[in-house]
Amino acid sequence: MDDAMNSPLVEASGLTRNYASKPGVVAGVIDLSLRVERGEFVVIQGASGSGKSTLLLMLGALLRAERGTLRIDGVELTRLSAVERSGYRARSVGFVFQLFHLVPYLSVHRNVLSGLPSGSAVELSEADRWIDALGLTERRDANPATLSAGERQRVALARALVKRPPLILADEPTGNLDPDNAARVLEHLDHYRRSGGTVVLVTHGSEANRYATQRLRLEAGRWAVPSAFPPL
Amino acid sequence: MNFTLQNILREGWHSRLNSALMLVALTGAVTLLTAVHLLTAAAERETRRVVRDMGFNLRILPKDTDPERFFLEGYSENTLPADTVTRLAAGAGTFITFNHLTPVLERRIRLGGHECLLTGLGDTVVGPGEKKQPMGFRIAPGTAQLGSILAERLGVKVGGTVEVAGRTLRVERVLLEAGTDEDVRLYTALSDAQIALGLPGRISEIKAIDCLCLTADQDPLPKIREALLQLLPEARVIQMRALADARAKQRQASERVSAFAVPMTLLVAAVWILVLAILNVRQRRVEIGLWRALGTGSSRIAALFLGKAVLLGGLGGALGWVVGTLVALRWGPVLFPVTAASLKMDLSLIGPALTWTPLFAAASSFLPAMMAVSQDPAETLRADG
């Protein structure tokens, strides 16, 4: 157990995935290696089409690697069946998306609850706790369509955090937010990291740099040289 | 309440237009099927009544009947034992080909100085378990029914009497002018005719209706004759082709309507639901991807779509039964005035409506549900490459 807790949360080696994202354009990642320790806030930057989202979806077991190994929290993802990968996502990963992706017919409270497996009484109160923590108490029963962009992203954040997963994967979480709301979301992610969680965030912006414990840059599906980054 | 069920209900309300159109399709299908079922039954009753009113179309005669004499006189001069009817009725497979077996004894007689046709009618025998009304008339012994011209010539009215071979018969009814030889007929009970003609225990023919209901181009006569040869080798059969053909066409037309309406209704409803379910899946691609990202299993995602179909199916089945019954009860009597009184709601359809409609809706939504399950979440959730 101790060994497991001392081992890196994410270990990837030789990860490769190609696919046609648009006619004539092959996107993906090529021969990527990655190591993320527990409690890290990893920021992965890159231009559109550089492979950031592909990598993130592979870390979330939503995309299979064509080659390479990917071990997260002691589990080798490339060997899991579809059912096992669903179980892995339900237990170990929280997603935050640029477009929020809230379920349009569920209230704020129900959206947060959708991140939990059973909807038990304990989970109901946990959902309320996160709604309060993210300043959404007044909007608990509101429909997502009536929320501002910042509120929607905080609901998505609460949904990701409510099950306290070891790993949060955030895909351009501030891309649709104004600077104040973007800072607020990043503060919450950083708070989660400081409480023991691990965050991997992909972005083409620089707002998250100040929270990063490790910064990486992707260019055409490969890591850019470390000198491309300014000093932390 | 189960989380999936709650989500189905909330999504159903959220996608009101899609849900309403799906419900309309299911309700419409069950309405049509219920109405078609009730109206088809009414149409069959009506057809049966109409074709029955067309009269007998088969005449089973003694084998040695001279065809020339038969057609010139209008009846057979030969006779069969009266129990031939019961023997025919007892034969295996009789009622596949023949029904409404009515023993008849006919002769030309003089009555009050006028020539007429005496027709003695026995009780009609129908197939086992059938509740069909006897064909033609049921005439009680001691009574008579007169054709219109005969009654006029004899100056007899209802309640009067006629003397037939020394027997006095009370006139029960004077028939409306038919424009056929019926206008000069005297109908009596078979037993009265047998006594009057001195032919006790004898009949001159058995009138019947053929049950094959084949049109003339389907050549039914060889089949009828073959059946009779097996059942009653001492008899021959004459088919009144025009009548039989009209009856068969009427019956086949009614059956064709049902055979067309039911599968067409099911097909249209299935396509309608399929299209709506596919649209629903396409509209919910991101949501499906999200459920995947949250770790929701395939069965639960499929349940969101199939569950919606099943719920709407149950509702559509109930609504369709009610509306279909109302439609049939409202317009059925207009379409089928002769048998209007027999149109009633059919409670036995509720069970199938509530069972089969959800299954049908689920089957129609199965393909879209599988599309939802197999959809690649990475395609819908990525912000960019």
Side-chain angles (χ1 to χ4, degrees):
Chain A
M1 184 67 179
D2 286 346
D3 283 350
M5 292 308 290
N6 290 330
S7 64
L9 181 68
V10 179
E11 281 182 292
S13 174
L15 277 185
T16 300
R17 168 85 191 197
N18 289 300
Y19 60 91
S21 61
K22 292 172 191 169
V25 179
V26 176
V29 295
I30 304 158
D31 197 23
L32 283 187
S33 295
L34 176 68
R35 181 184 173 97
V36 179
E37 302 295 338
R38 294 171 195 276
E40 275 205 279
F41 194 128
V42 179
V43 175
I44 300 172
Q45 291 171 303
S48 292
S50 61
K52 307 186 301 291
S53 294
T54 302
L55 175 60
L56 204 74
L57 293 171
M58 287 166 75
L59 295 178
L62 283 167
L63 269 183
R64 274 186 186 276
E66 287 165 359
R67 283 197 301 278
T69 59
L70 174 57
R71 193 173 186 82
I72 298 182
D73 206 13
V75 177
E76 177 54 56
L77 294 193
T78 54
R79 292 191 196 141
L80 297 185
S81 67
V83 174
E84 288 169 333
R85 284 188 294 142
S86 285
Y88 158 77
R89 286 193 296 271
R91 282 188 313 273
S92 306
V93 183
F95 280 98
V96 184
F97 301 101
Q98 178 181 3
L99 298 174
F100 326 126
H101 296 327
L102 301 182
V103 181
Y105 52 84
L106 296 181
S107 66
V108 166
H109 184 242
R110 291 269 160 198
N111 262 287
V112 175
L113 263 181
S114 66
L116 293 166
S118 69
S120 65
V122 173
E123 290 179 345
L124 286 170
S125 68
E126 187 66 5
D128 276 328
R129 201 177 73 74
W130 279 100
I131 286 169
D132 294 341
L134 287 158
L136 294 162
T137 311
E138 301 294 315
R139 312 309 304 268
R140 181 182 185 277
D141 298 316
N143 184 280
T146 66
L147 303 178
S148 69
E151 287 172 329
R152 288 183 202 187
Q153 195 59 299
R154 276 184 279 141
V155 174
L157 199 54
R159 180 180 62 197
L161 296 173
V162 69
K163 63 187 174 190
R164 296 177 173 277
L167 180 62
I168 290 286
L169 300 171
D171 190 359
E172 302 276 8
T174 57
N176 274 4
L177 303 181
D178 60 59
D180 285 347
N181 274 306
R184 202 168 171 184
V185 165
L186 291 170
E187 283 292 339
H188 283 298
L189 285 171
D190 189 50
H191 182 265
Y192 167 74
R193 179 195 69 80
R194 280 186 272 109
S195 65
T198 304
V199 177
V200 175
L201 182 150
V202 302
T203 179
H204 58 260
S206 56
E207 310 89 345
N209 287 356
R210 56 187 288 246
Y211 302 98
T213 58
Q214 182 181 183
R215 282 198 289 146
L216 301 163
R217 177 177 288 279
L218 271 172
E219 286 177 1
R222 297 177 191 271
W223 295 126
V225 290
S227 60
F229 293 94
L232 286 169
Chain B
M1 199 190 302
N2 176 283
F3 197 67
T4 302
L5 180 58
Q6 284 185 28
N7 284 356
I8 290 169
L9 295 174
R10 286 169 203 275
E11 194 282 330
W13 178 246
H14 179 77
S15 309
R16 286 186 288 278
L17 182 61
N18 183 281
S19 304
L21 288 173
M22 229 163 145
L23 185 60
V24 166
L26 289 162
T27 305
V30 180
T31 295
L32 272 173
L33 291 175
T34 304
V36 163
H37 178 87
L38 293 175
L39 294 177
T40 300
E44 280 178 13
R45 284 193 295 272
E46 193 92 348
T47 301
R48 210 177 291 138
R49 182 73 67 85
V50 168
V51 297
R52 202 188 77 191
D53 291 347
M54 287 178 179
F56 298 101
N57 54 40
L58 292 180
R59 300 181 74 173
I60 298 168
L61 308 167
K63 193 160 198 155
D64 49 1
T65 298
D66 178 354
E68 286 179 19
R69 296 291 306 161
F70 172 76
F71 284 115
L72 286 170
E73 295 295 333
Y75 56 86
S76 172
E77 292 179 332
N78 302 84
T79 60
L80 291 163
D83 69 356
T84 307
V85 174
T86 47
R87 282 199 296 120
L88 178 58
T94 292
F95 292 102
I96 294 171
T97 311
F98 308 98
N99 208 344
H100 292 284
L101 311 175
T102 307
V104 178
L105 179 60
E106 276 189 315
R107 285 290 182 272
R108 188 186 298 232
I109 62 167
R110 289 197 71 82
L111 186 66
H114 300 279
E115 269 199 299
C116 71
L117 288 165
L118 170 61
T119 305
L121 293 174
D123 287 341
T124 299
V125 181
V126 295
E130 293 190 49
K131 294 177 182 173
K132 291 177 179 175
Q133 297 287 320
M135 293 280 297
F137 321 107
R138 190 182 184 288
I139 300 173
T143 66
Q145 298 189 11
L146 274 67
S148 60
I149 293 174
L150 180 62
E152 187 186 333
R153 293 273 166 87
L154 295 174
V156 178
K157 292 185 177 167
V158 173
T161 57
V162 289
E163 292 283 330
V164 182
R167 287 173 60 80
T168 303
L169 303 176
R170 190 166 51 81
V171 177
E172 281 275 293
R173 185 178 168 201
V174 173
L175 303 172
L176 292 174
E177 188 175 327
T180 66
D181 61 9
E182 186 176 289
D183 292 339
V184 291
R185 277 184 193 272
L186 169 68
Y187 288 100
T188 69
L190 178 62
S191 55
D192 287 336
Q194 287 169 332
I195 293 168
L197 297 171
L199 291 169
R202 306 300 293 181
I203 57 174
S204 56
E205 67 178 286
I206 299 167
K207 294 194 176 186
I209 287 184
D210 90 80
C211 300
L212 295 177
C213 285
L214 299 174
T215 53
D217 55 332
Q218 293 166 317
D219 203 13
L221 253 179
K223 296 183 181 71
I224 292 168
R225 287 189 170 143
E226 188 185 335
L228 189 70
L229 186 65
Q230 301 288 325
L231 295 161
L232 219 58
E234 71 271 34
R236 63 188 300 169
V237 62
I238 290 173
Q239 186 192 42
M240 297 151 85
R241 178 159 284 190
L243 265 181
D245 199 39
R247 179 177 193 270
K249 282 177 177 166
Q250 172 84 9
R251 195 125 189 185
Q252 288 182 4
S254 168
E255 287 167 0
R256 275 198 300 273
V257 169
S258 305
F260 172 78
V262 171
M264 272 307 288
T265 303
L266 289 174
L267 181 66
V268 169
V271 170
W272 188 339
I273 293 162
L274 177 70
V275 169
L276 288 169
I278 288 173
L279 286 176
N280 191 237
V281 168
R282 287 188 64 81
Q283 284 167 353
R284 297 171 69 184
R285 290 179 74 222
V286 172
E287 181 200 332
I288 295 163
L290 175 70
W291 289 120
R292 281 272 188 234
L294 292 172
T296 305
S298 298
S299 57
R300 204 163 162 187
I301 291 174
L304 285 174
F305 291 87
L306 294 177
K308 179 179 180 177
V310 167
L311 282 178
L312 288 173
L315 192 56
L319 282 173
W321 179 83
V322 171
V323 178
T325 300
L326 291 175
V327 166
L329 294 180
R330 168 67 184 81
W331 282 286
V334 178
L335 294 170
F336 307 110
V338 177
T339 55
S342 60
L343 260 167
K344 292 184 177 71
M345 82 165 66
D346 188 349
L347 292 172
S348 71
L349 293 178
I350 295 177
L354 293 179
T355 308
W356 287 105
T357 316
L359 289 176
F360 173 75
S364 302
S365 301
F366 183 76
L367 182 65
M370 291 306 104
M371 284 169 56
V373 166
S374 59
Q375 181 183 292
D376 182 1
E379 286 299 314
T380 51
L381 295 178
R382 69 173 62 248
D384 65 79

